[in-house]
Amino acid sequence: MTLHDKQIRVCHLFEQLSSATVIGNGDKHKHSDRLKNVGKLQPGAIFSCFHPDHLEEARHLYEVFWEAGDFNDFIEIAKEARTFVNEGLFAFAAEVAVLHRDDCKGLYVPPVQEIFPDKFIPSAAINEAFKKAHVRPEFDESPILVDVQDTGNILDPEYRLAYYREDVGINAHHWHWHLVYPSTWNPKYFGKKKDRKGELFYYMHQQMCARYDCERLSNGMHRMLPFNNFDEPLAGYAPHLTHVASGKYYSPRPDGLKLRDLGDIEISEMVRMRERILDSIHLGYVISEDGSHKTLDELHGTDILGALVESSYESVNHEYYGNLHNWGHVTMARIHDPDGRFHEEPGVMSDTSTSLRDPIFYNWHRFIDNIFHEYKNTLKPYDHDVLNFPDIQVQDVTLHARVDNVVHTFMREQELELKHGINPGNARSIKARYYHLDHEPFSYAVNVQNNSASDKHATVRIFLAPKYDELGNEIKADELRRTAIELDKFKTDLHPGKNTVVRHSLDSSVTLSHQPTFEDLLHGVGLNEHKSEYCSCGWPSHLLVPKGNIKGMEYHLFVMLTDWDKDKVDGSESVACVDAVSYCGARDHKYPDKKPMGFPFDRPIHTEHISDFLTNNMFIKDIKIKFHE
């Protein structure tokens, strides 16, 4: 069977999942014994990647898919499961299988925004698409185009950030990241350990918070306040999303509601989880299930905490430390109907593909990030010997764009194909047109002096951080590190004497450079046996840099070179999908950098001004990001 033949069969598994095709199509008791532990979550219900019961059923299903004898067996058992398993749960489990089965290397799952467009496109546009598709003559197969309208207005201060929170790309990234790193992943069962999985959970979400703060400052807003008090009233949010499979919707959250006990979790339990985690940070160790102590050392502490806070399979003690992160999502998603008396659907916080739309996601994750920050503050600041790269001096950095050291941003038109996710009748194509933030392409030129007599191998680390806070004061170094966003990380060779290192923004180690569409995959466009569904993980390239403002917002562009011979990990040069390795790691490989994620901004900085932190192998260039209406 060719790679293209396999790809077509995978695409068919995911087609029309959100169009209620599952409901009423089969009795699970008549199906294979292999599927006896699934089918509990009803078709049409909103699947949550955070609720323990949903995750447990999804684990059973992706283990069935994993155990399938060969590719044909996998496809057949998946087709059978699709007839009665909840749509969202099926998509989650089937995509985990495609990601990790050896006989699925080179295959992609179609973009989640095309599988479930109702999770990304507001209900008004979806309804308009249905109307246009069903009121025209049968012989008319011309394409249909509907425009996505704003769902908020200036009465809500957070409306200014809707372009960012509701961006299709970042919500698809979040869905995909949690598939690459499912919390229920058992490395002993699969024989594959996901290296530094807990630390990646921390770092990817920390970067989301830093990027969100940069966007807030770009829009003249203060940096976000963390969720901090389990009794505090929360701000509201209305997602305007319809759940097509059930005909229901993601519920809005009115202003002023407080978290309340659910049938399966009490708020007081969540408070105890937080206190136990913080106590362990201050003691310097966590308590394992057998009562032994596991030290939160410099090398493994963040990874241990990440597994514990998310409560992944690798948590050292589920019973004692609980499931703080996930229960936060669940309680906030059900805040409007905590005991289920009104049979309301949950809000967007229940779903990894929708939760970033809600402002409370960022408040909650700043709260989670503050826990890690508490741990990082127990570590010693990096000393000169750790930061320095002997004989290497960065002399200058230039960002080349239309105007040097200025990046221009703007809104770009985009279209999303809906026909594979909703049934448009006889339409050949039905698309939703929307706008998203984008930026002009740019490149870095780093002038480096190698004062040694031999070649050196270097890791180039590039970050961006806002220079001024919401009041116009220059941000101090220790605050700055929490708003620093990683732009790139790559290897370069330095010859003795002068070197100029050039790197294009499209080559970023953070972003997803390209994701094939449903139509691309059906026609075999872009298929490559050396790439796979794993390569779909990454931050969207159009949001590599923040929006900036009309006048030109000032940022620090920070460049650091470290010794690659000390940073390298065995086999890291052969890693595929390196375009997004900073946030997503590497399939079946160790994370290709020995340094802590976010280095050198992951530990306290005791100098007041960032310039006093610099060693010869670092350089800061002030640049501007200018937004064009």
Side-chain angles (χ1 to χ4, degrees):
M1 185 183 301
T2 68
L3 188 65
H4 186 205
D5 290 336
K6 283 186 172 183
Q7 183 62 72
I8 290 173
R9 298 187 73 184
V10 167
C11 286
H12 288 332
L13 281 180
F14 291 88
E15 200 152 24
Q16 299 298 326
L17 268 178
S18 63
S19 293
T21 54
V22 178
I23 298 176
N25 286 348
D27 181 351
K28 69 176 182 177
H29 300 294
K30 297 178 182 179
H31 290 286
S32 167
D33 285 343
R34 289 188 286 177
L35 298 171
K36 63 184 178 182
N37 290 319
V38 298
K40 299 172 186 176
L41 183 65
Q42 290 298 306
I46 294 178
F47 168 68
S48 173
C49 297
F50 302 111
H51 196 287
D53 291 347
H54 295 197
L55 282 170
E56 185 66 10
E57 184 178 341
R59 180 186 66 81
H60 281 300
L61 187 54
Y62 71 65
E63 286 181 359
V64 169
F65 294 159
W66 171 264
E67 292 168 355
D70 57 20
F71 180 78
N72 285 330
D73 188 31
F74 160 54
I75 293 295
E76 291 307 312
I77 195 69
K79 287 165 63 176
E80 188 177 351
R82 183 185 152 143
T83 63
F84 69 95
V85 170
N86 173 274
E87 307 82 4
L89 190 149
F90 171 84
F92 181 91
E95 190 161 350
V96 170
V98 173
L99 267 162
H100 297 96
R101 284 183 62 95
D102 288 337
D103 55 13
C104 289
K105 285 184 177 178
L107 301 179
Y108 287 82
V109 168
V112 64
Q113 55 267 42
E114 291 193 49
I115 299 171
F116 296 116
D118 50 331
K119 295 175 182 284
F120 299 87
I121 302 299
S123 55
I126 296 286
N127 290 338
E128 185 182 353
F130 274 120
K131 289 177 183 176
K132 285 189 173 183
H134 289 95
V135 299
R136 59 190 195 152
E138 291 185 13
F139 59 82
D140 186 356
E141 296 183 357
S142 60
I144 292 173
L145 182 65
V146 296
D147 285 308
V148 174
Q149 305 294 334
D150 289 347
T151 57
N153 59 54
I154 58 173
L155 293 177
D156 175 16
E158 298 296 329
Y159 167 71
R160 281 179 278 178
L161 288 166
Y163 72 90
Y164 178 82
R165 295 192 320 272
E166 299 179 1
D167 182 85
V168 171
I170 66 168
N171 282 280
H173 159 74
H174 193 229
W175 159 268
H176 206 282
W177 190 92
H178 280 276
L179 288 161
V180 175
Y181 294 99
S183 62
T184 50
W185 181 266
N186 180 351
K188 294 179 181 177
Y189 177 84
F190 293 101
K192 296 181 179 183
K193 179 175 174 60
K194 291 182 175 289
D195 187 49
R196 295 168 69 176
K197 177 174 176 285
E199 187 178 2
L200 264 171
F201 168 80
Y202 146 73
Y203 185 58
M204 192 277 291
H205 289 90
Q206 184 274 333
Q207 284 288 284
M208 280 186 174
C209 290
R211 287 178 175 276
Y212 191 59
D213 268 341
C214 288
E215 295 296 337
R216 294 184 70 86
L217 291 173
S218 293
N219 286 276
M221 302 170 73
H222 61 76
R223 286 166 290 176
M224 63 175 158
L225 301 174
F227 172 91
N228 202 38
N229 180 353
F230 285 88
D231 293 324
E232 68 187 42
L234 303 182
Y237 175 68
H240 297 274
L241 294 180
T242 298
H243 189 245
V244 171
S246 64
K248 298 181 181 178
Y249 54 88
Y250 288 88
S251 292
R253 180 182 63 254
D255 265 332
L257 296 185
K258 298 180 181 181
L259 295 181
R260 293 167 61 189
D261 295 344
L262 307 182
D264 33 20
I265 185 69
E266 294 179 0
I267 302 305
S268 59
E269 289 183 62
M270 295 176 65
V271 174
R272 283 194 293 272
M273 292 174 197
R274 177 182 63 178
E275 296 310 314
R276 287 171 177 174
I277 293 169
L278 291 175
D279 284 347
S280 288
I281 288 171
H282 297 143
L283 289 169
Y285 60 82
V286 294
I287 303 170
S288 300
E289 289 182 356
D290 61 5
S292 63
H293 294 175
K294 195 165 186 176
T295 304
L296 294 173
D297 59 22
E298 294 184 359
L299 189 59
H300 303 291
T302 310
D303 198 44
I304 293 168
L305 274 179
L308 184 150
V309 170
E310 186 192 16
S311 193
S312 72
Y313 180 87
E314 293 171 285
S315 171
V316 298
N317 194 335
H318 291 270
E319 191 68 31
Y320 183 70
Y321 292 106
N323 193 347
L324 179 61
H325 166 262
N326 286 358
W327 278 127
H329 275 269
V330 173
T331 53
M332 289 174 181
R334 292 166 57 184
I335 193 171
H336 56 288
D337 188 18
D339 58 9
R341 69 180 66 184
F342 302 116
H343 296 282
E344 285 288 335
E345 295 301 302
V348 291
M349 279 289 281
S350 66
D351 189 336
T352 53
S353 63
T354 59
S355 56
L356 270 69
R357 304 174 76 89
D358 192 333
I360 202 65
F361 171 91
Y362 302 93
N363 304 116
W364 175 246
H365 270 280
R366 179 61 84 193
F367 162 78
I368 294 294
D369 187 56
N370 281 348
I371 292 174
F372 289 98
H373 186 62
E374 192 83 10
Y375 163 70
K376 292 288 187 178
N377 281 340
T378 68
L379 305 178
K380 295 185 298 184
Y382 292 116
D383 59 31
H384 181 273
D385 290 341
V386 175
L387 296 172
N388 194 35
F389 188 179
D391 297 321
I392 301 302
Q393 182 178 12
V394 182
Q395 296 179 322
D396 193 19
V397 174
T398 304
L399 185 148
H400 289 302
R402 183 175 40 172
V403 177
D404 282 354
N405 301 316
V406 178
V407 179
H408 293 88
T409 63
F410 48 87
M411 302 306 289
R412 184 187 292 276
E413 183 181 288
Q414 184 84 11
E415 294 177 357
L416 177 65
E417 180 63 71
L418 308 179
K419 72 172 184 179
H420 299 288
I422 63 173
N423 189 348
N426 63 332
R428 181 160 45 89
S429 175
I430 182 164
K431 293 182 177 181
R433 179 168 55 194
Y434 61 96
Y435 291 86
H436 65 76
L437 182 67
D438 206 343
H439 61 85
E440 65 178 328
F442 58 89
S443 62
Y444 317 97
V446 184
N447 294 327
V448 186
Q449 179 73 25
N450 176 2
N451 292 317
S452 74
S454 60
D455 287 349
K456 296 282 189 178
H457 308 300
T459 306
V460 183
R461 304 169 188 273
I462 305 178
F463 290 83
L464 187 73
K467 187 173 181 178
Y468 299 105
D469 66 14
E470 47 275 274
L471 297 176
N473 301 314
E474 191 159 349
I475 300 176
K476 295 180 180 180
D478 200 50
E479 286 182 72
L480 188 80
R481 68 187 184 87
R482 299 197 72 185
T483 55
I485 59 175
E486 184 174 338
L487 296 184
D488 208 347
K489 179 168 58 181
F490 59 95
K491 179 197 172 188
T492 193
D493 297 325
L494 303 174
H495 304 299
K498 293 183 178 180
N499 296 261
T500 300
V501 180
V502 178
R503 177 80 162 183
H504 200 281
S505 60
L506 289 176
D507 298 322
S508 170
S509 65
V510 170
T511 58
L512 172 65
S513 55
H514 173 68
Q515 185 177 29
T517 66
F518 223 120
E519 290 300 317
D520 288 340
L521 297 174
L522 287 172
H523 291 94
V525 177
L527 292 185
N528 184 333
E529 62 182 7
H530 300 296
K531 294 206 169 185
S532 71
E533 172 62 4
Y534 199 101
C535 302
S536 295
C537 183
W539 191 255
S541 60
H542 59 265
L543 288 177
L544 177 61
V545 299
K547 177 183 175 183
N549 59 32
I550 295 173
K551 292 182 179 180
M553 183 173 169
E554 293 190 60
Y555 279 85
H556 293 302
L557 181 66
F558 173 90
V559 177
M560 178 184 193
L561 272 65
T562 57
D563 189 343
W564 184 83
D565 290 322
K566 294 181 179 179
D567 299 336
K568 69 178 179 180
V569 174
D570 291 341
S572 60
E573 289 188 282
S574 62
V575 169
C577 310
V578 293
D579 58 342
V581 71
S582 289
Y583 289 180
C584 297
R587 175 175 173 159
D588 301 336
H589 285 80
K590 290 189 174 182
Y591 189 83
D593 180 12
K594 285 184 180 178
K595 290 283 195 297
M597 296 173 199
F599 176 87
F601 295 121
D602 63 301
R603 290 200 193 176
I605 298 175
H606 286 174
T607 62
E608 182 165 327
H609 195 276
I610 190 64
S611 61
D612 298 326
F613 174 70
L614 303 183
T615 50
N616 285 339
N617 55 313
M618 304 181 196
F619 197 91
I620 281 185
K621 186 77 165 191
D622 285 351
I623 69 164
K624 290 185 178 181
I625 302 181
K626 194 169 185 178
F627 176 68
H628 290 266
E629 291 287 358

